[in-house]
Amino acid sequence: MEQRRRIGAYGVCRDRAGRVLLVRGSDRVEFPGVWQLPGGGLEHGEHPEAGARREFAEETGLAVEVTGLLAAVADVTPLPGAGVELHTDRIVFAVRVSGGALRDEADGTTDLVRWSSIEEAAGLPLMPFTAEALGLPVTPLRRTAPGTAPRASYPPPTADRHQRFAAYGLVTDPAGRVLLTMIADGYPGAGWWHLPGGGTDHGEQPAGGLLRELVEEAGQLGRVVELLMVHNLHNPAALGPEGRPLDWHGVRVVYRVQVENPTEARVTELAGGSTAEAAWFPPDRLEGLPMTEVAALATGHHVV
């Protein structure tokens, strides 16, 4: 089957009684009748927070504000009828209602919305990422009509438009040093210092992909401590090794990572050529370094 990817944004919204808002999949999706957190796929160039707000309005009629970042997870769903194996990277936010009126979605990918207590949610068929986000047991799903394709489409990417999900780390050691990597020639941002990390592989969890990249780009073994932030980059004319401008949309999650036993930072052959070098920096040496926007944001410094 052809491997395709998409990025989705979702929200955990609770009322004063502690109930959570859930939506039910319509017959347009692969798992009709299954409940999940409101949310869905990002439009090209769309910030995940904006995507979560848009999807909430479409599926529930409510306007929401993003109040926190809860999780970044991935899953793979075979779509035999479409000949596609779909990898979805899902970013889950905490949100609160700021306006609107609750209503069901008409002729969309969901057909019912309701507030549910955690006990009630535990008795519903839930998408695995939703069960995980609510702290409930994850149960594998069965299709109601095996071998059929959902009416919701997942078109392949176009040659000159690309959406990429990546995981990066604010990596430190016990001495407080920060690990940075330099972008190689021929790639956007060449010569600038960047956070260790990169694009995740098909079927790979974000945190696992980051730890793999940490080994490849700097030869370090790390431990993911917490999820820090989401960064969105849309460059409609990015110029990279392809040799032509691309409409590039990058979504990056950034984790805090601790390396307990640091070694000399070195780029391995597995890094794939996009990383020129890696180095540990004491905090007082970070100011003035030419850094990418996401690296500057994560380290609390200004872009030079």
Side-chain angles (χ1 to χ4, degrees), residues 77-103:
T77 303
L79 307 176
V84 169
E85 186 178 68
L86 181 66
H87 171 122
T88 305
D89 294 293
R90 305 181 192 269
I91 301 170
V92 182
F93 297 100
V95 303
R96 66 183 174 201
V97 176
S98 59
L102 192 67
R103 51 104 180 113

Side-chain angles (χ1 to χ4, degrees), residues 4-79:
R4 294 186 193 171
R5 296 186 66 159
R6 69 168 182 164
I7 306 170
Y10 306 82
V12 176
C13 184
R14 300 182 188 273
D15 65 8
R16 293 181 179 178
R19 297 180 302 173
V20 65
L21 196 62
L22 297 175
V23 292
R24 188 178 69 180
S26 71
D27 62 1
R28 295 182 59 180
V29 296
E30 181 70 6
F31 298 103
V34 176
W35 295 79
Q36 69 169 46
L37 299 171
L42 295 183
E43 296 177 355
H44 189 78
E46 186 176 41
H47 193 291
E49 291 189 9
R53 293 193 298 267
R54 173 183 54 78
E55 288 283 345
F56 253 85
E58 293 174 0
E59 296 180 349
T60 73
L62 298 177
V64 296
E65 298 174 354
V66 173
T67 60
L69 175 62
L70 298 179
V73 296
D75 53 68
V76 176
T77 303
L79 307 176

Side-chain angles (χ1 to χ4, degrees), residues 198-223:
T200 58
D201 292 337
H202 188 90
E204 191 171 45
Q205 291 293 331
L210 167 57
L211 295 181
R212 171 185 53 78
E213 290 277 353
L214 184 58
V215 172
E216 295 175 1
E217 294 185 340
Q220 307 297 308
L221 296 177
R223 175 176 59 88

Side-chain angles (χ1 to χ4, degrees), residues 24-26 41 43 54 57 64 72 96 102 105 117 132 142 147 150 156 185 230 232-233 239 262 266-267 284-285:
R24 188 178 69 180
S26 71
E43 296 177 355
R54 173 183 54 78
V64 296
R96 66 183 174 201
L102 192 67
E105 184 177 17
S117 68
E132 183 177 355
R142 295 182 179 179
D185 290 342
V230 173
N232 190 74
L233 174 66
L239 187 62
R266 57 181 181 83
V267 182
D284 60 2
R285 286 192 55 204

